[in-house]
Amino acid sequence: MFAIVRTGGKQYRVAAGDKIAVEKIDGEAGDTVSLGDILLAGDGGEVKSAEGLVVSAEIIAQTRGEKVIVFKKRRRHNYRRRNGHRQSLTLLRILAVGDAKKAAPKKEAAPKAEAAPAAEAKAAPAKEAAPKKAAAPKAEAAAEKKPAAKKAAPKKEA
């Protein structure tokens, strides 16, 4: 089964097992993403309904494309501009083309949600304890200091 998928403003014909390079998609290598904007689906020579279909893909790597040189010149005006650009790309391996039920859920969403509260819980006690001890001596030292003296205005020579 194949599908025509739109992502990053471009269209790609994909089937299970294909590898494609698309515009950058958030995620790390090994994460699973689902491409939901399916324009057409088919099996062999037959066209099937694309409603409810989802294409699931695994991120192979985040990479950058080849450098494109943009050179502008206006002759006889001494005008030359040289600029370069490298597009950020994501390499995808298509796992399955099928119903939304069959598509694998995103791996990236769950670990981040679980890891964030644990990291905050560990960091919170350390942050609270340290400032209390360090804040007391600073406050006392600031109270004992006198404000800085103002500088006298420079004298004008006549």
Side-chain angles (χ1 to χ4, degrees):
M1 184 169 189
F2 73 91
I4 297 181
V5 178
R6 178 171 44 206
T7 179
K10 298 183 180 87
Q11 299 173 7
Y12 303 90
R13 182 187 187 277
V14 296
D18 288 352
K19 294 179 183 177
I20 58 172
V22 299
E23 298 280 326
K24 184 169 171 56
I25 297 175
D26 292 334
E28 296 180 12
D31 290 348
T32 302
V33 295
S34 59
L35 307 173
D37 193 6
I38 299 180
L39 305 174
L40 181 79
D43 196 5
E46 300 177 13
V47 176
K48 295 188 175 184
S49 175
E51 290 183 25
L53 288 181
V54 175
V55 174
S56 62
E58 177 187 7
I59 296 177
I60 299 172
Q62 299 286 2
T63 185
R64 302 192 65 193
E66 290 186 26
K67 180 174 266 192
V68 177
I69 303 297
V70 179
F71 185 75
K72 299 178 184 179
K73 180 180 177 179
R74 295 193 182 159
R75 58 188 198 150
R76 296 187 302 272
H77 289 280
N78 195 26
Y79 174 85
R80 288 185 290 272
R81 301 290 181 263
R82 183 177 182 271
N83 201 353
H85 175 75
R86 288 185 72 185
Q87 186 66 40
S88 296
L89 301 173
T90 300
L91 298 178
L92 296 177
R93 178 183 298 118
I94 307 300
L95 299 176
V97 176
D99 296 333
K101 298 173 189 173
K102 295 180 184 178
K106 289 187 177 183
K107 293 181 185 176
E108 65 183 83
K112 288 182 181 178
E114 294 171 3
E120 290 175 11
K122 291 178 184 177
K127 288 181 181 177
E128 291 175 5
K132 288 181 183 177
K133 293 177 185 176
K138 288 181 183 177
E140 292 171 7
E144 293 174 8
K145 284 187 179 179
K146 295 181 180 179
K150 294 184 180 178
K151 291 184 179 179
K155 296 180 180 179
K156 295 182 181 177
E157 294 183 25

